[in-house]
Amino acid sequence: MNDRLSARPTRRALVGTALGHALEWYDWGIYAIFVPFFSTRFFDPHDKVSAVLSSLAVFAVGFAARPIGGLVVGRFADRVGRKPMMLATVAGMAAGSLVIGLCPTYATLGAGASAILVLARIVQGLATGGELPSAQTYLAEYAPRRRRGLWSSVIYIASVGGNTVGVLLGLLLSVLLSESAMASFGWRIPFIVGGVLGAGTLWIRRSLAESATFTAEREERPRLWQEVLRHRRQAVQVVGMSVGLTVVYYAWVIAAPAYAISTMHVNADAALLAGVLSSLVLIGVLPAWGALSDRVGRRPVLLVSTLGTAVSLFPLQAMIDGSAWRLGVAMAVAMVFIGAGVSILPAAYAEMFPTHIRTVGLAVPYSIAVAAFGGTAPYLQTWMGATAGRAAFTGYVVLLLVVSAMTVLTLPETRGMSLTATGNHGDDTEGIEREAA
């Protein structure tokens, strides 16, 4: 197959993929960031701690819907195409965000407001469960195979960018609005903005071309569960690779500013600014790590990420003592190691499965891992910090990172392999390594 026709990404494909993925992380990020401001608007305002914990529990409920979304969307993406499902996921994310932004409060509807929040998060969970594997697969199939690691970094550049936009919006609103105004209506603004951004992304994605790799192998559609069982080893490896990097990503990239504000009582403006600056560091290192993996391989870079982060977490935690600048420095150092792993996960995942099961093969185990570990990370971070101290949660994260590192050691090296049917048969380790050579 001609690489110039099937693998070279177009500008529209890159922009459309990136914007949708940025929207996913914008939506999830603003929820975590604005919990301190809207929690008492959806739950009993007389118990603020309980309201925050309830809001974080709803955050986890949204994640619980991801495996279902991953299964349904992933299956259709492997049967009817990547593009239609990428349209559906953006529509779901935008709709959920808009509903939250316009939802009546607990004072108006009582428990009904809580129920609407839960339903909106479930819709977003279903959508995002299919967004990540669909977008990652689409981009990986477009990328030149010798530069797939570099191109895969676009996924997390977009995700960090989307989250950073949410943080900046939070910072701007906290500066312009009083605390009472933020609690009254300011928290609605980022969710309404998310709905508008989703509509724009939907318009861009509608003109994307279908993945040429998928189109070329459209007729090869074996039975789903037969293929899932055949690739069960890869499914377990996806879970193992994901648990550590997912939890540390949510704890340090997404939820750290909100945790610092609500639990460590760091000044809100300063904590959000620290989050923005550290995110810029992460965006800067992502393409560098991706390009390095195209030269030295996926496994070495993934090991640097998992083991480097594990070793550094306790010293970085000790730096944070309620000071915003210490928070920013600690987050920035963590981003260097975290970036090594997340920059190339899209490429590594895509290289584990053949085309006819590439989306759903990733979607289901990845969504299970994210739901079980990522979705509960902010809640556990708050709960463990309050009951056993911050070190308990850090130890939990380090343990999961070790699990991810051990999983990486079981992977074949897939740098530069072909994603066509002749280049990837899942269990054909010898063929994979020959393609990578």
Side-chain angles (χ1 to χ4, degrees):
M1 185 177 297
N2 192 321
D3 280 350
R4 288 176 298 178
L5 295 178
S6 64
R8 187 175 300 280
T10 65
R11 179 181 300 178
R12 184 170 290 273
L14 283 171
V15 171
T17 303
L19 285 179
H21 203 59
L23 178 65
E24 174 188 351
W25 288 90
Y26 171 86
D27 283 339
W28 289 95
I30 59 173
Y31 187 97
I33 290 166
F34 284 87
V35 159
F37 303 109
F38 72 73
S39 58
T40 55
R41 295 297 169 176
F42 288 100
F43 297 96
D44 186 357
H46 297 102
D47 188 345
K48 292 185 178 180
V49 174
S50 176
V52 169
L53 289 175
S54 296
S55 298
L56 292 176
V58 174
F59 188 76
V61 167
F63 275 87
R66 290 182 68 129
I68 300 173
L71 175 61
V72 175
V73 175
R75 181 54 173 162
F76 277 103
D78 286 332
R79 291 190 67 86
V80 303
R82 320 310 191 198
K83 175 185 171 180
M85 294 302 100
M86 290 169 66
L87 292 173
T89 56
V90 166
M93 289 186 291
S97 185
L98 197 59
V99 166
I100 295 173
L102 299 177
C103 182
T105 64
Y106 186 91
T108 303
L109 286 184
S114 306
I116 292 175
L117 177 65
V118 171
L119 289 175
R121 293 300 293 172
I122 289 175
V123 170
Q124 288 188 313
L126 293 171
T128 55
E131 165 62 23
L132 180 65
S134 298
Q136 288 187 165
T137 298
Y138 183 80
L139 187 59
E141 290 177 348
Y142 256 86
R145 64 179 186 171
R146 301 296 181 185
R147 302 180 67 191
R148 193 177 297 127
L150 174 61
W151 286 116
S152 78
S153 67
V154 170
I155 291 290
Y156 277 92
I157 290 174
S159 70
V160 177
N163 182 65
T164 302
V165 169
V167 174
L168 284 172
L169 184 55
L171 179 60
L172 178 63
L173 290 174
S174 68
V175 170
L176 296 178
L177 300 178
S178 65
E179 186 174 344
S180 61
M182 282 289 288
S184 175
F185 67 88
W187 63 268
R188 295 182 181 274
I189 296 174
F191 291 102
I192 295 173
V193 169
V196 174
L197 292 176
T201 302
L202 195 63
W203 183 83
I204 293 174
R205 279 193 171 183
R206 68 182 177 83
S207 61
L208 294 181
E210 183 55 82
S211 159
T213 300
F214 170 83
T215 302
E217 300 181 30
R218 182 182 294 274
E219 300 305 318
E220 184 185 352
R221 299 289 179 266
R223 296 178 62 182
L224 172 62
W225 295 112
Q226 176 183 339
E227 287 299 291
V228 168
L229 289 175
R230 181 187 174 198
H231 295 87
R232 58 188 179 275
R233 182 171 184 266
Q234 286 86 346
V236 173
Q237 288 173 324
V238 167
V239 173
M241 288 170 61
S242 303
V243 292
L245 289 171
T246 294
V247 172
V248 79
Y249 186 87
Y250 278 100
W252 282 82
V253 180
I254 303 298
Y259 178 81
I261 294 168
S262 61
T263 303
M264 302 181 67
H265 309 295
V266 176
N267 176 269
D269 296 349
L272 292 174
L273 181 59
V276 169
L277 295 177
S278 65
S279 293
L280 293 178
V281 172
L282 180 56
I283 290 174
V285 302
L286 284 171
W289 283 117
L292 182 63
S293 78
D294 287 327
R295 296 181 62 86
V296 304
R298 313 294 187 225
R299 281 187 300 189
V301 174
L302 287 170
L303 288 173
V304 167
S305 178
T306 51
L307 296 178
T309 307
V311 169
S312 64
L313 280 189
F314 275 107
L316 292 178
Q317 176 193 279
M319 288 182 60
I320 305 172
D321 59 357
S323 165
W325 77 267
R326 285 177 176 267
L327 172 68
V329 171
M331 289 181 67
V333 174
M335 297 307 135
V336 175
F337 291 107
I338 294 171
V342 299
S343 67
I344 62 171
L345 280 178
Y349 288 143
E351 292 161 352
M352 294 172 69
F353 297 95
T355 302
H356 59 266
I357 196 177
R358 183 165 293 133
T359 308
V360 73
L362 164 63
V364 175
Y366 179 82
S367 295
I368 290 173
V370 171
F373 296 92
T376 58
Y379 184 95
L380 289 177
Q381 186 177 32
T382 301
W383 178 73
M384 286 185 175
T387 59
R390 288 185 294 153
F393 181 76
T394 301
Y396 167 72
V397 177
V398 169
L399 177 62
L400 293 180
L401 286 167
V402 171
V403 170
S404 292
M406 294 175 64
T407 304
V408 169
L409 291 174
T410 70
L411 299 176
E413 180 54 64
T414 56
R415 169 180 58 91
M417 64 169 288
S418 171
L419 294 185
T420 61
T422 56
N424 183 6
H425 296 285
D427 294 316
D428 186 6
T429 302
E430 180 182 353
I432 290 173
E433 293 183 334
R434 185 170 55 251
E435 287 284 352

